Every structure is written in C-alpha cells, then in structure tokens.
Amino acid sequence: MKNISINMPDFKPGSVWVVGAGPGDPGLLSLLALHGIQNADVIVYDALVSDDILKFSGENAELEYAGKRGGKPSPKQKDITDSLVALAHAGKRVLRLKGGDPFVFGRGAEECLRLAKEKISFRIVPGITAGVGGLAYAGIPMTTRGTNSAVTFITGHNANGEIPDDIDWKSLADASPAMIFFMGMAHIGRISEKLMEAGRSPTEPVAIICKATMPNQQVLVSTLEKCRNDVLASELIPPALIVVGSIVNFREYLDWFNCE
Ligand code: SAH
C-alpha cells in the first residue's frame, strides 16, 4: 500500500466544524470528517449519528448529545446553537456532528448563520446524505437514462410534525419522476394519497429504506396504493426514506447488500 499523506486543514481552537457523518456506515465518513472527529475537543452530536462513528473521537474529547432520546423532549435548536457559541468562546475545537449532510434537512444553515453572526470561524464538511447513500445501499439508482432526468428530495415533516403545506403536489407529480421523502414514515398514507390524487399511478413502485447503510438495514418494496398498509403490517422502524418512482424496480437486480 502506498503511503500517501493528505494536507488537512488545522482545526483551530475557538472554531467550529459543522460535519456530516453520513447515513450510518462509518466507512462512508470523509477523510476530512474523520480528521475533525479525531481532533475535536468537544463533539456535539445528533440522534442519527451512530456510536461506531463516535468511537473515532480522541480519548479526552467531550461528547455532548443534542438529539431526541427515549421520549424526552429534544433540546431546543436555540440551546444547541448557544452551546456551540459558548464552547467556541471558551477556546475549544468544537465539532458539530450531524447525520447525513448538514445542509440536507439538517438545520446546518441555521447554526452556521449564528456562528457567522457571532464572528466565530467555522468550516462545513459535507457528508453523504441518506438520500444518496441510502439508495446506493438499497440497490436503487438515483437516476438512469431510461427512467428519470430529475430527482426531488422532499421533507414529509414540518416544524409541527405535519406534512408541509407548501408542497404543490400537482406540480411534484407532473414534474418529478423520482421522489425521495425524508421524515415521511409517520405520514406515508397521506403522502401516497396526495400523489395518487395528483395523478400518479396506484401501482407505481415505492421503497421504504430503514436504517440505511447500517447492518440492520431493511427495505420494503411496495406500491403507492399498498404502501400504507404494508408499512403498518411491517415492523419497520425509522429513520426511513420513502422512494417513489420506477427507479425502485432496479432493486430486483442491484440489491448487492443482501448478496454479499
Ligand atoms: N441531514 C440528514 C437528514 C436529516 S432529516 C441527511 O442528509 O441524511 C432525518 C431524516 O433523514 C430521517 O427521518 C430519515 O428520513 C432520513 N435518514 C437519515 N439517516 C437515515 C438512515 N440511516 N436510514 C434511513 N433514513 C435516514
């Protein structure tokens, strides 16, 4: 093996790195993310960051949990951001670790805006979003030349836990051959209904990808008309992505995860 060294940026005391941890499999971390995790004084991490990734932290690093756990109320976004600011002002190397990519439904922008306002130096390290990594591990291509020239990421959840009311279902159904819903499990019945009302075929394929890229990943393949009942009858547990479109059909041939 060649010994190649990569020049990594300095993680300066008093700065914050906002880092994407990817969807779960530690092998999907970027080298830059790993460098940050190994050198941080404090890691403020979210619920979707796997323990296997936190194991890369330095011996003396403090680990601060900033997600939901065991039905307890989740910390308010403002408290998390305040804590990042306070830790940076205390001269720590602060690493804010988020599942997937910090800028994909991850509130990374809100946190960085506050850091910018406070004139705290920060860096954003992108991660593989579950929307990309999860499909790859489920053997579902995001695009193929024969099926779709566009793909849409949609959140199935607004700040109140409801389907966002600014989704234009008709335009979505007309213009987006492939859709990937984040945070949509609780509303899968309404999401599929809205899409059928807007003209999508009831037999259109749907995949629900749970715990993507983790050893206990599970994928359920269904259709728009059946997916609600199929999910109810299953024991699938979030986090989950809902994929809608004919790209799902490729899974029959490309499911490498269960063939290894
Ligand atoms: N920033 C994250 C998304 C945060 S929103 C990213 O880029 O991936 C949280 C939602 O992401 C979950 O409700 C789920 O829809 C999706 N998600 C995150 N990790 C996942 C995983 N390992 N498997 C399936 N879905 C996942």
Side-chain angles (χ1 to χ4, degrees), residues 1-252:
M1 200 168 78
K2 277 198 231 163
N3 192 5
I4 303 171
S5 69
I6 301 174
N7 278 338
M8 287 290 175
D10 245 6
F11 196 161
K12 297 201 180 76
S15 72
V16 180
W17 284 24
V18 179
V19 176
D25 182 345
L28 296 177
L29 275 178
S30 69
L31 294 175
L32 204 49
L34 180 62
H35 173 75
I37 293 169
Q38 287 171 331
N39 289 285
D41 298 317
V42 189
I43 299 180
V44 182
Y45 65 99
D46 274 353
L48 290 175
V49 173
S50 67
D51 289 345
D52 285 346
I53 286 175
L54 293 171
K55 282 184 196 150
F56 292 113
S57 57
E59 254 174 45
N60 298 320
E62 291 165 45
L63 302 181
E64 264 188 33
Y65 181 69
K68 254 186 226 167
R69 186 173 278 167
K72 287 191 195 144
S74 51
K76 296 267 177 305
Q77 184 62 44
K78 182 171 178 311
D79 295 341
I80 299 171
T81 324
D82 283 349
S83 147
L84 297 178
V85 170
L87 289 163
H89 281 152
K92 309 263 189 196
R93 293 176 189 85
V94 186
L95 189 126
R96 176 69 175 114
L97 194 56
K98 290 172 169 285
D101 180 87
F103 278 1
V104 178
F105 304 129
R107 308 186 76 167
E110 290 167 55
E111 296 180 12
C112 293
L113 282 168
R114 175 75 189 285
L115 297 171
K117 195 171 155 212
E118 302 281 346
K119 305 213 167 7
I120 291 170
S121 123
F122 65 93
R123 164 182 284 269
I124 299 156
V125 181
I128 295 182
T129 173
V132 171
L135 268 72
Y137 273 52
I140 300 174
M142 300 267 291
T143 66
T144 77
R145 284 195 294 179
T147 52
N148 58 316
S149 48
V151 56
T152 311
F153 283 0
I154 307 143
T155 173
H157 202 110
N158 65 16
N160 305 319
E162 288 303 317
I163 296 188
D165 41 19
D166 58 355
I167 298 178
D168 177 346
W169 294 93
K170 184 79 182 93
S171 304
L172 192 63
D174 288 347
S176 187
M179 293 171 244
I180 300 167
F181 288 89
F182 289 66
M183 296 176 275
M185 263 288 249
H187 302 305
I188 191 165
R190 290 202 18 235
I191 290 171
S192 51
E193 250 168 48
K194 294 262 186 203
L195 289 173
M196 289 186 287
E197 276 166 23
R200 298 293 279 245
S201 161
T203 58
E204 181 157 1
V206 172
I208 294 100
I209 311 174
C210 293
K211 304 210 165 84
T213 82
M214 309 205 191
N216 53 352
Q217 165 176 300
Q218 280 182 298
V219 182
L220 174 78
V221 174
S222 181
T223 59
L224 276 180
E225 64 185 340
K226 294 198 177 126
C227 59
R228 178 177 176 273
N229 286 342
D230 285 351
V231 165
L232 285 176
S234 75
E235 289 179 354
L236 294 179
I237 300 173
L241 297 159
I242 304 169
V243 186
V244 180
S246 57
I247 49 172
V248 169
N249 291 331
F250 284 88
R251 177 172 159 79
E252 190 182 339

